[in-house]
Amino acid sequence: MTTIDDQTLSVDRAQVLRAAARIAPAHSDFMNQHRAWYALVATNLYYVRELLAQAAGEPVPDVVTSRKILDALGFPVFALGYRDLLDHGHPAHRE
């Protein structure tokens, strides 16, 4: 069980590894600006919310909490940088 920011989710590292084996990794043909956060599991990147939902077998929290949970379990987490995001930062973080 992992608790981050008062969000408790029954998931451990082994569950995440098994989930990664069951789902397809992120692929450049299916990139999407709404899937901007990824976790590295073995040699593949997975969308954080999809990976965590598959591992937990239940709906998962928001992206921020999802990536914190995966980080707490020891998985490297990455963000997709594109166009204006690289030049100006995330719109929600500009002011």
Side-chain angles (χ1 to χ4, degrees):
M1 184 178 323
T2 306
T3 303
I4 301 288
D5 297 336
D6 298 327
Q7 296 278 340
T8 301
L9 195 65
S10 294
V11 64
D12 61 24
R13 190 171 171 81
Q15 287 173 285
V16 173
L17 291 169
R18 286 191 299 271
R22 289 192 304 269
I23 62 175
H27 191 280
S28 61
D29 284 348
F30 307 108
M31 297 296 269
N32 179 319
Q33 67 180 359
H34 302 293
R35 293 170 150 179
W37 285 95
Y38 305 87
L40 180 65
V41 179
T43 59
N44 292 310
L45 292 174
Y46 296 87
Y47 303 113
V48 295
R49 291 192 76 205
E50 292 171 12
L51 177 62
L52 200 54
Q54 183 68 228
E58 60 185 270
V60 297
D62 58 89
V63 172
V64 173
T65 305
S66 296
R67 70 178 204 247
K68 287 180 180 180
I69 288 171
L70 289 166
D71 178 62
L73 291 172
F75 295 100
V77 178
F78 300 90
L80 171 67
Y82 58 93
R83 293 184 223 92
D84 287 342
L85 190 62
L86 293 174
D87 295 333
H88 306 290
H90 193 282
H93 302 162
R94 289 184 190 153
E95 296 179 22

